[in-house]
């Protein structure tokens, strides 16, 4: 370990953690020491008599129980499997240039090189200790040269694994990636110090012991014992939490100080790209990938999509014009032998982490290429939502609006939706409205039907509007004044949609839990809890207003495609979008909101008329 101030502070904190471990061991041995003293006093005829005999028996029994409990706790702490981040492992033969870059960087920093490289579908990079036996096959053993051929002493290679965010490889250039990884790789120096490594193992073991004790499925018959183990582990964690946090801060400070001499100027520029990549990745997941995941499709080139999204940003935003010029430099993904295969693996892992999809492809969980996204995702999503909307209207007994000139006169139409959402309720009618409502007695009687509220898919509505500043303000009102459906009919339809969607989700078959590989070795999913998927949900459950607005928007888009020649499209920044005459329809969302929230169909009807969309014509559903 170097002479950096942070490294010395980290070692001091590591020693503090180890002292807490030593005190815990001393407390466990204290009854045994007292029993030894009493037994020795009895054998030497110094501590004799009935009182001393009883004390010897009681203290010896207590010492035996404490030693047994301490041994069990120590065994659990040592054997418990520490948490590990879900990643895509990268073998050296799959990325020799990347390994060479990392090793050269470690040599320049005068620190040990990471033992392996893995990718994570996130915009971050870190070092991760995976030397625990549960994390894979035993690490490579190296003979101690000082011991000689017959020495027999071996030491285990304990260098941490370098985890790199996969979006970095596709968006950053090679020099920028090297500059970003410099302070991360520099952390292997302090990590190799024995005191810091021992302190980290102790803290990770306590954390794993707490998780093991909290998992009732692992020890249903020993819950009292598990509760005791968990209590002791939590007590020790609380005692060393402050020291462990300060130790990690010291390690980070030492790594940053050591990396200052390597590509410092490039790192300033690279940090700007880190923030940009994070924004593009978040936008891509929430606006583009999430709608596909909900349709049972997972985009197989998410990392390549980040480049397309940020390139589109550079085209729209004059402040980002300089970003496009970077594309002429060599991207860091060229350091991989097969970037497409790695991108596909990272994309599937992202779908599992952020949405909870299964680990293997199937008829209901298939990859989709970006060129197929409009037809496979956007078109299917809109027609599926429109079909659900009409099923709910059928359940509510809403009369269809037949078109005698159509091939299917009783087919699903947009007029049916507009009439239902705009027709006044019988309870809310004014005397002057009696004549108007008399013309549609069936629609009026349907208003008394009870129902239940929805949840919306923001990927369609929010996506189409955010590019337009005015429309985005309508889509995202002030948090202090949430907007909800105002008419009873709207609320009833929203409730039924929500219940219908909940039933569909409940009826969906659960994702299969992957087991061990044919070779008997635990698969990568065995290292993390697959039952907790998704580990990082992208968005909270959709609100009723969002769900109803999304379904009405889907119905409008279906009518536009079937009667006016519109096309489904993909916008890299906003996700699914409607293309009318080759241009994005960015002004649809506020008109749909006017219908859903205020029951005012005039803005939407005017928009339909201007584009030649015929709401009375039946549309094709799935």
């Amino acid at each position: 370990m170097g002479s950096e101030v942070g490294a010395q502070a980290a070692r001091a904190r590591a020693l503090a953690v180890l002292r807490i471990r030593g005190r815990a061991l001393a407390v466990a041995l204290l009854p045994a020491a007292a029993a030894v003293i009493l037994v020795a006093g009895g054998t030497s005829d110094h501590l004799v008599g009935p009182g001393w005999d009883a004390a010897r028996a009681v203290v010896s029994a207590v010492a035996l129980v404490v030693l047994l409990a301490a041994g069990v706790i120590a065994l659990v702490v040592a054997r418990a499997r520490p948490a590990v981040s879900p990643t895509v492992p990268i073998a050296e033969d799959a990325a020799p240039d990347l390994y060479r870059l990392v090793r050269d960087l470690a040599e320049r920093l005068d620190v040990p090189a990471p033992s392996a490289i893995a990718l994570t579908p996130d915009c971050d990079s870190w070092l991760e200790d995976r030397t625990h036996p549960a994390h894979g096959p035993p690490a490579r053993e190296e003979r101690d040269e000082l011991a000689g051929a017959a020495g027999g002493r071996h030491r285990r290679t304990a260098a941490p694994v370098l985890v790199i965010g996969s979006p970095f490889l596709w968006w950053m250039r090679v020099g920028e990636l090297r500059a970003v990884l410099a302070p991360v790789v520099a952390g292997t120096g302090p990590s190799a110090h024995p005191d810091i490594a021992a302190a980290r193992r102790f803290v990770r073991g306590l954390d794993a012991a707490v998780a093991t004790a909290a998992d009732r499925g692992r020890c249903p018959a020993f819950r009292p014992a598990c509760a005791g183990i968990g209590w002791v582990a939590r007590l020790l964690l609380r005692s060393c939490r402050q020291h462990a946090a300060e130790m990690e801060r010291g390690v980070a400070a030492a790594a940053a100080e050591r990396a200052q001499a390597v590509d410092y100027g490039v790192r300033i520029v690279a940090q700007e790209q880190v923030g940009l990549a994070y924004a593009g990745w978040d936008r891509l997941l929430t606006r583009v990938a999430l709608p596909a995941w909900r349709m049972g499709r997972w985009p197989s080139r998410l990392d390549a999509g980040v480049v397309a999204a940020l390139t589109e940003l550079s085209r729209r935003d004059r402040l980002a014009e300089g970003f496009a010029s970077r594309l002429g430099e060599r991207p860091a993904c060229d350091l991989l032998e097969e970037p497409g295969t790695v991108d596909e693996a990272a994309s599937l892992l992202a779908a599992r982490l952020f949405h909870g999809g299964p680990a293997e492809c199937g008829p209901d969980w298939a990859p989709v290429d970006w060129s197929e996204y409009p037809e496979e995702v956007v078109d299917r999503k809109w027609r599926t939502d429109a079909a659900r909307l009409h099923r709910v209207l059928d359940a509510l007994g809403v009369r269809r609006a037949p078109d005698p000139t159509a091939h299917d006169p009783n087919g699903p139409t947009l007029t049916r939706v507009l009439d239902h959402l705009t027709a006044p309720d019988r309870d809310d009618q004014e005397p002057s409205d009696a004549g108007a409502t008399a013309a549609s007695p069936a629609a009026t009687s349907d208003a008394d039907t009870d129902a239940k509220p929805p949840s919306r898919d923001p990927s369609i509505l929010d996506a189409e509007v955010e590019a337009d500043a005015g429309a985005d303000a309508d889509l995202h009102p002030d948090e202090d004044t949430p907007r909800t459906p105002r008419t009873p009919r709207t609320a009833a339809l929203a409730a039924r949609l929500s219940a219908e969607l909940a039933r569909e989700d409940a009826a969906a078959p659960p994702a299969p839990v992957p087991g061990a590989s044919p070779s008997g070795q635990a698969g990568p999913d065995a290292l993390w809890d697959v039952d907790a998927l998704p580990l990082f949900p992208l968005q909270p459950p959709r609100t009723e207003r969002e769900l109803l607005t999304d379904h009405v928007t889907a119905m409008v888009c279906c009518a536009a495609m079937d009667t006016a020649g519109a096309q489904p499209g993909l916008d890299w920044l906003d996700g699914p979008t409607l293309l009318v005459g080759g241009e994005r329809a960015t002004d649809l969302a506020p008109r749909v909101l006017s219908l859903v929230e205020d029951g005012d169909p005039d803005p939407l009807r005017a928009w339909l008329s201007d584009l030649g969309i015929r709401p009375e014509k039946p549309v094709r559903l799935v």
Side-chain angles (χ1 to χ4, degrees), residues 522-614:
D525 290 330
L527 302 182
W528 40 283
D529 188 4
V530 295
D531 295 332
L533 295 175
L535 296 180
F536 312 104
L538 290 179
Q539 293 181 344
R542 293 174 286 178
T543 65
E544 296 178 2
R545 178 182 73 89
E546 291 173 336
L547 183 58
L548 179 58
T549 304
D550 196 36
H551 280 71
V552 174
T553 302
M555 187 62 203
V556 173
C557 293
C558 290
M561 291 188 295
D562 292 346
T563 66
Q567 297 292 329
L570 167 62
D571 186 274
W572 291 110
L573 298 178
D574 295 332
T577 186
L578 181 68
L579 301 178
V580 180
E583 299 293 333
R584 296 174 58 239
T586 59
D587 53 350
L588 172 60
R591 291 163 173 78
V592 174
L593 285 176
S594 177
L595 172 66
V596 170
E597 296 177 350
D598 303 328
D600 181 12
D602 293 341
L604 181 57
R605 288 187 185 276
W607 185 84
L608 296 173
S609 178
D610 292 341
L611 296 179
I613 300 172
R614 303 184 63 181

Side-chain angles (χ1 to χ4, degrees), residues 13-67:
R13 293 293 183 170
L15 292 176
V17 172
L18 297 179
R19 281 194 294 269
I20 293 175
R21 184 184 67 176
R23 291 168 189 159
L25 179 61
V27 170
L29 295 177
L30 187 60
V36 170
I37 292 174
L38 291 177
V39 171
T43 56
S44 60
D45 295 332
H46 289 292
L47 304 177
V48 295
W52 288 111
D53 293 340
R56 265 189 293 272
V58 171
V59 173
S60 298
V62 171
L64 183 61
V65 172
V66 171
L67 285 177

Side-chain angles (χ1 to χ4, degrees), residues 2 20 30 67 89 103-104 108 139 168 191 201 211 293 306 346 372 419 439 450 458 488 501 516 554 586 621:
I20 293 175
L30 187 60
L67 285 177
R103 290 192 178 115
D104 292 345
R108 292 176 61 185
F168 292 164
S191 300
R201 284 195 301 270
W293 294 338
V306 172
E372 303 170 350
D419 291 345
D450 292 330
L501 194 60
T586 59
L621 304 179

Side-chain angles (χ1 to χ4, degrees), residues 236-425:
L236 292 175
L237 268 180
R238 285 194 298 268
S239 301
C240 60
R241 178 181 302 165
Q242 182 68 23
H243 297 297
E246 294 297 332
M247 176 185 68
E248 297 300 337
R249 291 191 187 98
V251 170
E257 183 179 352
R258 180 179 289 265
Q260 283 183 353
V262 178
D263 298 334
Y264 182 75
V266 179
R267 194 179 318 133
I268 297 176
V269 178
Q271 288 300 327
E272 298 177 358
Q273 303 306 319
V274 169
L276 188 65
Y278 181 86
W281 180 250
D282 179 74
R283 188 74 171 236
L284 187 74
L285 292 183
T286 56
R287 299 300 179 90
V288 179
L290 187 58
W293 294 338
R294 286 173 175 165
M295 295 302 301
R297 297 291 184 267
W298 53 276
S300 59
R301 296 293 186 271
L302 281 180
D303 293 306
V306 172
V307 180
L310 294 176
T311 304
E312 177 66 14
L313 175 64
S314 68
R315 185 185 67 82
R316 293 187 190 178
D317 191 350
R318 288 179 299 176
L319 298 178
E321 291 178 355
F323 298 149
S325 61
R326 302 173 55 258
L327 301 180
E329 304 175 18
R330 184 191 182 193
C333 62
D334 281 357
L335 300 174
L336 304 174
E337 291 292 307
E338 297 181 1
T341 303
V342 175
D343 193 0
E344 184 173 353
S347 300
L348 179 57
L349 180 58
R352 301 203 65 203
L353 294 179
F354 299 115
H355 184 67
E360 299 177 355
C361 298
D364 297 328
W365 186 247
V368 60
D369 193 69
W370 291 124
S371 60
E372 303 170 350
Y373 186 95
E375 291 295 330
E376 289 290 324
V377 176
V378 182
D379 185 83
R380 288 182 61 243
K381 173 181 173 44
W382 285 344
R383 299 192 187 277
T384 300
D385 288 350
R388 185 183 300 112
L389 178 60
H390 280 278
R391 285 200 306 270
V392 171
L393 291 176
D394 291 338
L396 290 173
V398 178
R399 181 177 61 87
R400 290 180 179 267
D403 180 13
T405 64
H407 177 71
D408 182 9
N410 293 319
T413 63
L414 177 59
T415 299
R416 183 191 190 195
V417 179
L418 295 176
D419 291 345
H420 179 70
L421 292 178
T422 58
D425 268 325

Side-chain angles (χ1 to χ4, degrees), residues 419 422-448 487-489:
D419 291 345
T422 58
D425 268 325
R426 177 180 301 172
D427 295 338
D428 297 334
Q429 291 176 11
E430 296 293 334
S432 60
D433 298 332
T437 57
S440 56
T444 305
S445 63
D446 293 332
D448 297 329
T487 64
R489 281 192 172 190

